[in-house]
């Protein structure tokens, strides 16, 4: 069932009577067989969200025609929408610094077929992970960053992302803060992993801060990158319990497992088109 | 929004094209405003499930008429369905033995308004919890059970449940095995809490068995009672980590917290009509 | 084994060679049978911690004599120490406001014998919980607090705590900030429950703040109260996962279960003398 | 502090008065500086366990002499003991079949220095993972197993383990059942990962069994291998929550993350000499 070609439709609009009936009716008229339908109403903000996935086997519209056919309905309900074709390849770039744990985790999942994406390149401000990336047969771009050349190197990064037609970027413990010139080009398309349960311990050295505060749980948070540091829409979080016996080094070591797991779950949700973003929050469907 | 009177519809049938459009279209035609819609397809068994909740304020059918109006659609798709009126009171009976922790937890939630149900009576095979029940102003029925009088006492229990028009029963650590004469009268309407992560450690003394096996996690499971002991549809499970330092008494003490929490979550889901049962499994919506 | 009368010794001092041998040797010389021994070294701060519990059956010192006999050793190693007699009753006061969930949880545990303490009184700034407390046969003191009378009412609270020889205080969702005149009288003897995973969402309305931020986990934290709001030594924390489907009311409802469990675990650790406090952190033994 | 050369002593014996004082006194006499001391008494079985770690810098016994010096004390208390030198290299072999996720996880941790062991070889009954192992510069031995050649291939495996002086073996989703001829040679030295929360779903296809039973949590268990399948001493377990929305493929995919994490935690504990085994259970120290 999984391997069938499907269309995935994301919708949000003001909450209105009849919206589900209208949209499901439209897909049914065109002979689409709905596999998954999730809807959610944020009653506080009065917003309706829906994700629908249907098989394209008998659907009588080609996806490029969908827009024209759906537009009248979209207008009537003032719907913001986006449609995805499951057969369309997704191109993911990875940014990494010196630490390899998230990188290895992502590349081995990709190699085993778990992440159905193309990885045209890995970019790093350090040379350390180059040999790992090359083992997996993926081009590695070493772009060292200094305060002086940062703007320039971000231009080089942007050029590479363009050239390789990258759809989204994963910051796999990339230890540089991106500037708006890069962030604004990939809205809700840059996924970061931060090593704390945000909003606690935003910024630098969160494990040290957690240790100093004497917390009994530590966490990790994956989120979309926005202009404000560590403040973008949260996709996934998880935690582990810690005790007084553990040193900062234990936090760092055990935290790596959290970071790997949380980042990879966020990538999975993004690839599967299960994330809708609204008001700096995520709605996770499926 | 919560306090509005709503209708809740449960559906399951063979998976078919157009089913969501048909049912949401029907509710829309009668001017229902959908608050929640959840659907799920079990592709393995080819079964479609849906739970829909809509406001009755502008709905142009009285619920008693709903059946007649919906029947043609239900026939067309061979739908099994059930409808609930959120304004209809739900009557819950509690069975308890000597241990009071689940009982207190349920009664204090009820008193604070968390569980919007009526509790017409608590039945026990022991007198121990009588004073607790009476503090809450609820009738307490002491029906001691021996191997000899068990069938007879179950008849007395059934008579009481009938008399008080009980909708569902909660076994709050009731230490008697129910016979089919009682179980069969309340299919998917008797909720038990078992103090292990089923299917591990079914039957008697699960904490002792867990201790003997040297597990690193212990759990609790709430499920609907069926003819086979501890084998009914699982509603909710949770676990805690344990260590070699903990004795059986620690397992029992810490397990009580699990039991309370897991049982109360199951009651909540049942009251909210969020549980659909199929093939000895539960689909949990909302 | 549990019911035997025991001595519990807490120690901390600069880390030194031979300290464990010296202290265990001392207890052995006096014929104490060690049941539990936990030690921890904070290498960063170079501090040694130990908790030892031994049976008093054959111990050849009465606890009042212990001090004199142990003093030379304590001086030699510059040990800070405290000794407890498991047979000595512990007196716990509860402060509560309008919400009853933590109160019920504590009182029902106490009634069932889980918390081996005496509860001489419950103090509240509202009358709402009075009937609950009285059901359990415990005196209830209603001391309404306004900005004008706050200092005066705290004096009344202190007088009551003195009069009833209270050892420690539990703030069971008490919605007033204590002033230093009260806090300073019970250092590391006032346990609060805060409804967030501190340090995230300190202060008022943490569930609302968590909802606004779009977090995927919410938490609760029990800690000793210090002069700085929500910044005292953390005793216990726990979390639950939440989703976009949940409203603030769901956070509040589900959070109550966390608050109950986390607060009760902190009380348990305190009663069992398992908590050592140092540098605004807790070392939890056993 | 971590990098200092240390001795680690494991002890178990009948619980006796004065045992801690005697052993810590012995180490102190020989000028050992204790870094970690953990003790545990199983009151049910009346067994005393201890793990002590001290620095060797000023210790006045060479470890080979330790045995002779400690023997009188060991005799006096009938102590079973084992001592480890942190500077002694540990040699770990990995057995793998077709699935690479645990293998990658272990090898990348090893490469980053997280696992301070030597990996002289990886053995597999399939050729699939050969290219992965070789990328890490580790010898790969392909020993295909059929019902006919199983005994013979186990002899070849044993010969390789001998030849490479392997201390312990990790079964990283190795899909063959080991026979006693292999198991008995490495008592408490073969670590397996089973993809269920044992004792639930022992044996083949646990995810399928979990799916059929409709559980709400799935788990993974690492344990030492004994003659009885999936019944050895449990080292570590963990779980994740699942929902009706998830298929068996989701269980398998998400379970891989559990398996990786749980197996690697068990390896860490084993390497750090933190595991004592007794009565088919583990005592985990530190």
């Amino acid at each position: 069932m999984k391997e069938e070609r499907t269309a995935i439709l994301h919708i949000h609009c003001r909450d209105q009577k009849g919206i589900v009936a209208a949209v499901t009716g439209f897909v049914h008229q065109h002979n689409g067989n709905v596999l998954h339908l999730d809807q959610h109403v944020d009653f506080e903000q009065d917003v309706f969200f829906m994700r629908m996935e249907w098989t394209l086997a008998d659907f009588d519209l080609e996806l490029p025609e969908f827009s024209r056919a759906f537009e009248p309905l979209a207008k009537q309900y003032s719907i913001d929408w986006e449609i995805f074709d499951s057969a369309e390849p997704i191109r993911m770039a990875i940014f990494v610094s010196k630490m390899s744990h998230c990188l290895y985790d992502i590349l081995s999942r990709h190699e085993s077929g778990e992440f159905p994406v193309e990885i045209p390149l890995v970019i790093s401000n350090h040379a350390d992970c180059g040999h790992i990336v090359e083992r997996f047969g993926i081009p590695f771009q070493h772009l060292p960053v200094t305060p002086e050349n940062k703007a320039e190197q971000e231009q080089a990064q942007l050029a590479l992302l363009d050239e390789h037609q990258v759809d989204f970027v994963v910051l796999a413990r990339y230890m540089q803060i991106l500037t708006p010139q890069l962030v604004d080009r990939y809205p809700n398309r840059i996924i970061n992993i931060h090593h704390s349960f945000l909003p606690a311990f935003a910024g630098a050295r969160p494990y040290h801060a957690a240790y100093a505060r004497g917390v009994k749980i530590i966490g990790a948070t994956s989120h979309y990158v926005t202009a404000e540091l560590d403040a973008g829409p949260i996709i996934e979080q998880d935690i582990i319990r810690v005790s007084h016996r553990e040193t900062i080094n234990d936090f760092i070591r055990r935290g790596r497992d959290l970071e790997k797991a949380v980042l990879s779950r966020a990538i999975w949700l993004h690839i599967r088109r299960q994330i809708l973003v609204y008001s700096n929050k995520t709605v996770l469907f499926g």
Side-chain angles (χ1 to χ4, degrees), chain A:
Chain A
M1 189 58 82
K2 277 233 161 125
E3 308 310 321
E4 277 184 291
R5 189 171 157 225
T6 61
I8 299 158
L9 179 66
H10 285 186
I11 276 178
H12 70 87
C13 60
R14 195 171 54 70
D15 189 29
Q16 295 152 80
K17 230 180 240 189
I19 177 97
V20 181
V23 178
T24 57
F26 175 88
V27 170
H28 183 53
Q29 273 163 32
H30 291 281
N31 213 27
N33 186 27
V34 175
L35 296 181
H36 299 289
L37 181 154
D38 282 283
Q39 64 101 47
H40 169 64
V41 181
D42 182 329
F43 292 110
E44 204 179 277
Q45 304 206 29
D46 196 34
V47 183
F48 171 87
F49 301 89
M50 191 162 77
R51 178 190 186 276
M52 256 178 91
E53 182 166 3
W54 65 89
T55 53
L56 289 171
D58 302 323
F59 196 57
D60 65 15
L61 292 172
E62 289 302 308
L63 286 197
E65 300 172 49
F66 179 87
S67 171
R68 192 192 39 71
F70 188 65
E71 204 46 54
L73 190 65
K75 264 211 174 110
Q76 185 188 338
Y77 290 93
S78 301
I79 295 174
D80 264 326
W81 61 276
E82 200 169 5
I83 195 160
F84 306 95
D85 180 344
S86 74
E88 216 173 275
I90 304 176
R91 295 169 69 80
M92 169 172 98
I94 302 171
F95 281 38
V96 70
S97 290
K98 291 182 172 180
M99 278 171 291
S100 63
H101 56 288
C102 288
L103 178 69
Y104 254 128
D105 197 60
I106 295 166
L107 295 182
S108 60
R109 286 171 199 267
H110 179 248
E111 187 181 77
S112 71
E114 181 177 316
F115 286 161
V117 295
E118 296 170 7
I119 305 181
L121 85 164
V122 173
I123 293 175
S124 182
N125 57 333
H126 294 283
D128 303 57
C129 290
H131 70 287
I132 296 171
V133 175
E134 276 150 23
R135 276 184 200 165
F136 285 87
I138 294 169
F140 178 78
Q141 290 282 354
H142 178 205
L143 294 175
V145 174
T146 63
E148 291 72 36
N149 75 358
K150 182 161 185 146
E152 189 185 331
Q153 292 296 61
E154 273 199 355
Q155 288 298 345
Q157 290 165 356
L158 276 169
L160 284 165
L161 298 179
D162 272 352
E163 178 195 334
H164 289 91
Q165 295 172 279
V166 164
D167 293 302
F168 78 107
V169 174
V170 173
L171 308 183
R173 297 297 312 274
Y174 182 65
M175 306 303 279
Q176 290 283 326
I177 296 172
L178 305 185
T179 74
Q181 75 171 335
L182 184 44
V183 173
D184 294 350
R185 281 285 303 283
Y186 290 87
N188 300 327
R189 287 166 182 266
I190 305 176
I191 298 175
N192 187 39
I193 179 72
H194 183 76
H195 39 314
S196 80
F197 50 90
L198 289 174
F201 310 122
R205 294 166 69 84
Y207 290 132
H208 289 75
Y211 183 83
R213 179 63 185 90
V215 295
K216 300 301 182 189
I217 56 177
I218 59 172
T221 305
S222 58
H223 62 94
Y224 285 121
V225 175
T226 57
E228 191 183 341
L229 183 66
D230 298 332
I234 292 172
I235 302 169
E236 169 67 337
Q237 302 188 284
D238 212 344
I239 60 99
I240 47 174
R241 301 185 75 84
V242 293
S243 84
H244 64 268
R245 294 174 178 276
E246 292 172 66
T247 63
I248 289 176
N249 284 336
D250 292 318
F251 281 22
I252 292 170
R253 174 179 54 80
R254 295 185 59 205
R256 285 197 293 260
D257 282 2
L258 268 183
E259 297 161 25
K260 280 157 44 168
V262 169
L263 179 56
S264 284
R265 280 184 244 153
I267 294 172
W268 173 263
L269 291 167
H270 185 91
I271 291 171
R272 303 286 289 191
R273 315 295 194 186
Q274 293 181 233
I275 311 175
L276 278 74
V277 178
Y278 189 81
S279 293
N280 206 45
K281 291 187 187 188
T282 59
V283 169
L284 304 181
F285 281 138

